[in-house]
Amino acid sequence: MSPAPVSSPQAGPIIIPYKQSRDAIIVDVTINGRVTKPFVVDTGASYMVIATSIADELYLSPHSSGQKITLQTANGRVSAPLINLDSVQIGSLAAPNVVAAVHDFDESKTVYGLLGLSFLSRFQMTVDAQRHQLIFTPIAAPNDYASQNCITALNLVKKGQQLRDFSE
C-alpha cells in the first residue's frame, strides 16, 4: 500500500473540528489507514508519539538497534524508539512517512498519543477556539517526505523547530 499524499498547497485551507478536554485540543488521528484514535495536538512535541498498543495493533516493531529519542514526560525523562508511519490522517488532511516515537500512554484517559511537529510542521495551523476548529494550510512538501528515513525526518523536525522558535 502506498502512503497517502500530502495535500497540495492549491487545495486551500482544510478545517478539522476538535474536542477540548481541559486545556488540550483532541482530534481523531488515523494511522496507516487502519487505526483511528484520539490524540492531543501538541505543538511543543518534536515528534508524534503513539501508544505502544497502537504500534502493536499495526504490527510496527521498533528495531532494537534503531534510533531513540529522549521524551520529557510528567514522570521524568524516558527513552523512546522512533518508527516510520506510512501515513497519518486527520479528517481529509493526510501526510505520508511521518516519524513517531513509541511510548506507553495511560489509555484510561482516552488519549492514545500526541500529534507533534513531525506531522504539524508540514502545515500552517490556526486554532479557531470559538468554533473549535483547526484550520490547516498545506506547505509545499519537500521531496524528503517521500523517503522513509528517520534521520531525514529528524532534520526536517529540527528545521520546523527553528522556524517556530524564530516566529515567537
Side-chain angles (χ1 to χ4, degrees):
M1 180 169 95
S2 63
V6 69
S7 301
S8 68
Q10 294 80 10
I14 297 170
I15 298 172
I16 307 293
Y18 69 83
K19 297 175 192 143
Q20 189 153 359
S21 176
R22 294 186 185 168
D23 292 332
I25 292 174
I26 314 258
V27 294
D28 286 334
V29 175
T30 302
I31 299 174
N32 292 355
R34 293 185 34 221
V35 174
T36 302
K37 299 284 185 187
F39 278 58
V40 172
V41 175
D42 188 347
T43 59
S46 299
Y47 292 93
M48 270 192 73
V49 181
I50 68 169
T52 304
S53 63
I54 293 175
D56 292 344
E57 190 172 344
L58 292 170
Y59 303 104
L60 298 172
S61 308
H63 298 289
S64 58
S65 62
Q67 185 174 3
K68 293 187 175 190
I69 61 166
T70 301
L71 299 175
Q72 181 64 48
T73 71
N75 296 323
R77 293 176 165 255
V78 297
S79 180
L82 292 177
I83 60 171
N84 285 298
L85 303 173
D86 289 339
S87 66
V88 173
Q89 184 171 343
I90 57 172
S92 63
L93 188 68
N97 299 318
V98 178
V99 174
V102 178
H103 178 62
D104 290 323
F105 274 79
D106 178 1
E107 294 170 14
S108 66
K109 297 190 187 313
T110 67
V111 172
Y112 291 79
L114 302 175
L115 190 63
L117 289 177
S118 57
F119 175 85
L120 296 172
S121 66
R122 300 177 188 203
F123 308 95
Q124 177 182 2
M125 181 182 77
T126 305
V127 178
D128 183 340
Q130 222 172 17
R131 293 187 178 105
H132 285 87
Q133 295 176 336
L134 300 176
I135 303 161
F136 288 91
T137 304
I139 298 171
N143 292 334
D144 291 339
Y145 288 159
S147 169
Q148 291 187 358
N149 182 329
C150 286
I151 302 302
T152 299
L154 176 65
N155 292 333
L156 289 171
V157 168
K158 285 180 181 175
K159 183 177 178 181
Q161 288 172 323
Q162 290 169 344
L163 291 171
R164 180 196 66 203
D165 293 344
F166 182 72
S167 69
E168 292 179 349

